């Protein structure tokens, strides 16, 4: 007989133990799993805390910029006179060369070039693997076709382009090389090779006379960093060129949105419609500077503003007196003019060559505001206020003339302020504003003016021949003052006939000193271009500008979208 189990036991040693409840095991497994998740989360959190991250540029976003007016010619042979056309052509087309930030010629589609010592023959070689927007390879035949268009007698291009290219012979050396042969040495020639090329396979059936009217201008095919993917009367949408072969922009698309004028662009920005203001006007600057969401970038333009005297006008013979011209310069407070009339958006000019040009002479004499000296010069020249009417006179002729400008509000303010300065020294300059087109066609071109406020654009090579050589006095030329000076002619001609940069610098320095001695015009100031960009667009940089379109020179580096990455994985990346 077996022993009984101890009291409280309900099974015998020969029986298996009862099974534990299933819920108890599940609860323990759940608690263990929760604990593991907690520990893992804690571990990841500690790891993340110890690994630094930063925001870096990412691809995406659309940059919307407002521009004033509408495009006229999306064609590199026709875009020289319209700012929007220049902007678009710089993005859509490329030439053999381009101008760098200092106005010097640099390679673009051309890999290299060489010239003979006499400057008569230039040989260019194309870069390898260059393509049009449609993927077709660029060859020397495209260069030959473009030059042929430029040389055709019925191609509607600007006169200086026609005059230059029709004097050049061109040879195709091979599929990647061409040779240009000039009649005479012409130092600025390389500037002309920066004109954008046209694709032969697109344009070969268009007659030169139909260049401007061809529907192909509405769907341009170029080789620039951007290509047009859609357009309307209100805007143009551009995306990166898939055949660009260089840095692809971070920003996915660039849109130009058209407005009737610059004030409308600024108003549209304040409503959140835009990311970029193509030009911030002087009148909008005070409010623009107060906006925390707007970045302002300023750079000197390759432009100078001057008062041009008509030395050939029989009604104003006093302008032929150098003492009178010098007195008008000393009697003009140009520092105050820049500070007040253009809100500081410029620097006082002392040369007919822009201050950012390689040819600008930095040691030129300055002409400070000195009304006492101005009055003495006029007294010594016999211009005295004999009838006490506040205006100087001599030989029965009052020192009185009309000072013209276009009807831009800033230009009107400039001539009014100039008039006030000159009135203080006994000279009566009557300010009068006309339309821009009228100023050129009705007054400057036919030489029917006394004095005028004129803006000169000097892009690239600083050759002053078109503006100041005596051969340009006649019809079609731009020497509106009628200045004739044999020494100036010689210096200008010698400088454009040598390709030696050092010699040209010496010659241009001599020309600038002679110009300031003779003063056929008074240089007033070099304007500053101001560009506005939303603060949401990062890494925007604006350097010296040959033209406002150069603001997009670093567009590939701009970005809108960002992502976060560990610092040790962002080597070479640009963060915020």
């Amino acid at each position: 007989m077996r022993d009984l189990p101890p009291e409280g036991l309900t099974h015998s040693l020969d029986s298996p133990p009862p099974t534990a409840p299933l819920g108890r095991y599940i609860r323990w497994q759940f608690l263990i799993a929760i604990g593991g998740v907690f520990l893992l989360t804690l571990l990841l959190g500690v790891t993340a805390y110890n690994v630094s991250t930063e925001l870096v540029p990412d691809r995406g976003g659309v940059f919307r910029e407002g521009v004033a007016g509408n495009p006229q010619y999306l064609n590199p042979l026709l875009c020289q006179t319209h700012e929007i056309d220049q902007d678009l052509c710089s993005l859509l087309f490329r030439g053999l060369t381009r101008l760098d930030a200092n106005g010097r010629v640099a390679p673009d589609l051309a890999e290299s070039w060489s010239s003979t010592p006499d400057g008569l023959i230039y040989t260019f070689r194309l870069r390898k693997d260059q393509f049009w927007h449609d993927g077709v390879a660029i060859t020397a035949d495209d260069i030959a076709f473009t030059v042929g268009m430029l040389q055709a007698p019925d191609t509607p291009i600007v006169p200086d382009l026609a005059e230059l290219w029709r004097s050049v012979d061109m040879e195709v050396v091979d599929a990647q090389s061409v040779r240009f042969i000039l009649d005479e040495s012409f130092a600025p020639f390389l500037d002309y090779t920066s004109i954008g090329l046209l694709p032969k396979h697109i344009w070969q059936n268009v007659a030169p006379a139909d260049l401007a009217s061809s529907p192909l201008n509405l769907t341009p095919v170029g080789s620039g960093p951007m290509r047009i993917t859609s357009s309307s009367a209100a805007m143009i949408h551009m995306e990166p060129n898939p055949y660009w072969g260089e840095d692809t922009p971070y920003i996915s698309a660039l849109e130009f949105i058209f407005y009737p004028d610059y004030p409308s662009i600024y108003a549209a920005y304040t409503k959140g419609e835009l990311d970029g203001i193509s030009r911030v006007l002087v009148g909008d600057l005070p409010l623009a500077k107060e906006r925390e969401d707007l970045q302002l970038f300023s750079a000197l333009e390759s432009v100078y503003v001057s008062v041009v005297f008509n030395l050939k006008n029989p009604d104003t013979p006093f302008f032929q007196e150098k003492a009178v011209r010098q007195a008008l310069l000393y009697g003009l407070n140009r520092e105050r003019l820049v500070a007040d009339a253009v809100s500081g958006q410029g620097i006082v000019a002392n040369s007919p060559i822009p201050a950012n040009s390689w040819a600008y002479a930095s040691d030129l004499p300055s002409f400070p505001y000195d009304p006492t000296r101005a009055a003495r010069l006029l007294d010594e020249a016999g211009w005295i206020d004999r009838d006490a009417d506040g205006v100087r006179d001599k030989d029965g002729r009052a020192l009185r003339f009309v000072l013209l400008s276009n009807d831009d509000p800033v230009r009107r303010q400039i001539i009014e302020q100039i008039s006030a300065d000159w009135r203080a020294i006994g000279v009566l300059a009557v300010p009068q504003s006309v339309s821009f087109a009228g100023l050129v066609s009705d007054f400057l071109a036919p030489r029917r003016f006394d004095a005028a406020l004129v803006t000169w654009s000097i892009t690239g090579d600083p050759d002053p021949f078109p503006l100041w050589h005596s051969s340009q006095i006649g019809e079609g030329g731009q020497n509106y003052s009628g200045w004739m000076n044999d020494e100036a002619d010689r210096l200008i001609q010698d400088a454009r006939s040598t390709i030696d940069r050092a010699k040209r610098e010496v010659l241009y320095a001599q020309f600038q000193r002679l110009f300031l001695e003779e003063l056929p015009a008074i240089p007033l100031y070099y304007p500053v271009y101001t560009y506005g960009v939303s603060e949401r667009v990062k890494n925007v940089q604006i350097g010296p500008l040959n033209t406002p379109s150069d603001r997009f020179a670093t567009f590939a580096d701009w970005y809108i979208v960002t992502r976060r990455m560990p610092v040790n994985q962002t080597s070479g990346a640009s963060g915020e």
Side-chain angles (χ1 to χ4, degrees):
M1 181 175 181
R2 290 183 294 181
D3 292 334
L4 294 174
E7 186 175 1
L9 292 179
T10 59
H11 64 278
S12 68
L13 294 176
D14 296 329
S15 303
T19 302
L22 181 61
R24 182 184 304 170
Y25 287 103
I26 292 174
R27 285 195 298 272
W28 278 108
Q29 290 173 358
F30 178 75
L31 291 173
I32 291 171
I34 290 295
V37 171
F38 175 77
L39 290 174
L40 179 61
T41 301
L42 181 63
L43 178 62
L44 291 174
V46 171
T47 302
Y49 181 79
N50 290 323
V51 176
S52 298
T53 64
E54 67 175 342
L55 289 175
V56 298
D58 201 1
R59 306 206 180 277
V62 177
F63 181 79
R64 306 159 301 163
E65 178 168 310
V67 294
N70 291 84
Q72 294 182 357
Y73 302 111
L74 300 186
N75 185 312
L77 277 56
L78 305 172
C79 66
Q80 288 74 30
T81 60
H82 196 47
E83 192 166 292
I84 301 177
D85 293 349
Q86 291 176 4
D87 289 347
L88 287 165
C89 283
S90 72
L91 293 165
L92 300 172
F93 297 95
R94 300 167 72 190
L96 290 172
T97 62
R98 62 178 179 82
L99 298 179
D100 68 14
N102 296 313
R104 293 182 170 89
V105 178
D108 200 351
L109 283 174
E111 176 182 74
S112 62
W113 65 84
S114 61
S115 64
T116 54
D118 58 9
L120 295 179
I121 301 175
Y122 291 80
T123 303
F124 286 80
R125 184 161 186 82
L126 284 170
R127 297 178 189 267
K128 296 179 180 178
D129 301 323
Q130 299 295 303
F131 302 93
W132 298 106
H133 289 159
D134 57 6
V136 175
I138 301 172
T139 70
D141 286 341
D142 297 305
I143 305 172
F145 174 80
T146 302
V147 172
M149 274 286 193
L150 289 165
Q151 293 177 333
D154 50 353
T155 302
I157 59 177
V158 295
D160 65 322
L161 275 179
E163 182 180 0
L164 182 279
W165 283 109
R166 289 167 190 167
S167 68
V168 175
D169 291 328
M170 200 203 82
E171 300 174 354
V172 174
V173 178
D174 56 43
Q176 297 298 113
S177 304
V178 296
R179 181 176 295 122
F180 298 112
I181 304 170
L182 281 60
D183 293 336
E184 58 183 6
S185 181
F186 181 56
F189 172 70
L190 287 175
D191 272 37
Y192 288 80
T193 62
S194 65
I195 191 168
L197 300 182
L198 289 174
K200 178 180 178 180
H201 69 284
I202 298 291
W203 285 89
Q204 59 187 341
N205 295 323
V206 177
D210 299 329
L211 187 72
S213 59
S214 172
L216 292 176
N217 290 311
L218 301 177
T219 55
V221 174
S223 59
M226 306 297 287
R227 62 173 181 168
I228 294 177
T229 56
S230 64
S231 63
S232 68
M235 57 87 73
I236 281 180
H237 180 94
M238 292 171 282
E239 296 180 1
N241 173 10
Y243 301 100
W244 177 235
E246 298 183 28
D247 293 339
T248 300
Y250 287 111
I251 296 175
S252 297
L254 167 60
E255 291 182 350
F256 276 10
I257 302 175
F258 311 132
Y259 292 88
D261 49 40
Y262 288 109
S264 300
I265 298 173
Y266 184 78
Y269 179 84
T270 64
K271 298 175 184 177
E273 299 174 5
L274 300 171
D275 303 300
I277 304 173
S278 57
R279 184 183 291 271
V280 180
L281 297 182
V282 170
D284 293 327
L285 271 174
L287 291 176
K289 289 179 178 178
E290 295 179 358
R291 295 192 66 95
E292 296 182 356
D293 64 343
L294 182 62
Q295 306 172 81
L296 295 178
F297 302 91
S298 296
L300 275 182
E301 296 186 71
S302 293
V303 169
Y304 71 95
V305 180
S306 63
V307 173
V308 174
F309 303 119
N310 187 347
L311 306 181
K312 300 294 186 181
N313 189 344
D315 295 331
T316 56
F318 41 76
F319 284 143
Q320 296 177 17
E321 299 181 39
K322 184 165 65 174
V324 171
R325 302 194 300 270
Q326 291 176 336
L328 293 175
L329 174 55
Y330 281 112
L332 185 56
N333 192 335
R334 293 178 295 165
E335 287 80 5
R336 189 175 63 196
L337 185 75
V338 170
D340 296 347
V342 296
S343 300
Q345 295 300 290
I347 62 173
V348 171
N350 275 325
S351 169
I353 291 178
N356 56 2
S357 170
W358 57 264
Y360 177 77
S362 59
D363 59 346
L364 296 172
S366 60
F367 297 86
Y369 176 51
D370 191 344
T372 300
R373 184 172 183 176
R376 184 171 67 251
L377 283 167
L378 292 172
D379 288 342
E380 293 171 352
W383 291 96
I384 300 170
D385 182 11
R386 293 173 172 81
D387 54 8
D389 65 350
V391 180
R392 295 173 181 267
D393 57 85
K394 184 171 72 171
D395 299 331
R397 181 184 297 273
L399 194 48
R400 178 188 184 280
F401 57 91
V402 174
L403 177 60
L404 289 172
S405 79
N406 65 41
D407 54 6
D408 175 82
V410 174
R411 293 291 188 264
R412 289 200 299 267
Q413 184 176 348
I414 289 173
I415 60 173
E416 288 169 0
Q417 192 163 328
I418 290 174
S419 177
D421 279 352
W422 284 345
R423 188 62 186 262
I425 60 171
V427 177
L428 180 57
V430 180
Q432 179 181 330
S433 60
V434 297
S435 70
F436 175 80
L439 177 62
V440 176
S441 63
D442 299 336
F443 297 95
L444 295 177
R447 278 59 172 178
R448 288 195 294 265
F449 71 99
D450 299 339
L453 189 70
V454 179
T455 300
W456 302 111
S457 177
I458 313 293
T459 302
D461 195 279
D463 178 26
F465 183 94
L467 306 181
W468 299 113
H469 194 275
S470 63
S471 66
Q472 303 303 299
I473 292 175
E475 183 178 355
Q478 297 182 74
N479 185 346
Y480 299 134
S481 75
W483 185 42
M484 298 182 66
N485 185 286
D486 291 342
E487 178 65 8
D489 284 354
R490 183 191 67 79
L491 292 170
I492 291 171
Q493 193 64 50
D494 289 351
R496 68 181 347 218
S497 299
T498 177
I499 60 174
D500 187 313
R501 173 66 62 81
K503 291 181 180 178
R504 296 188 77 203
E505 288 180 356
V506 171
L507 291 166
Y508 282 140
Q510 294 174 3
F511 167 77
Q512 291 168 80
R513 293 188 183 94
L514 177 61
F515 185 95
L516 292 176
E517 172 66 23
E518 294 294 320
L519 286 176
I522 294 179
L524 295 180
Y525 67 96
Y526 304 116
V528 168
Y529 168 81
T530 301
Y531 183 44
V533 180
S534 167
E535 56 85 26
R536 81 185 191 101
V537 185
K538 309 300 182 183
N539 204 33
V540 180
Q541 298 179 25
I542 305 296
L545 303 175
N546 296 293
T547 65
S549 60
D550 288 343
R551 66 188 182 274
F552 295 111
T554 62
F555 182 71
D557 300 325
W558 306 1
Y559 63 93
I560 295 173
V561 178
T562 60
R563 59 193 171 100
R564 190 168 290 280
M565 288 184 63
V567 172
N568 60 3
Q569 296 181 25
T570 61
S571 177
S574 173
E576 285 187 310

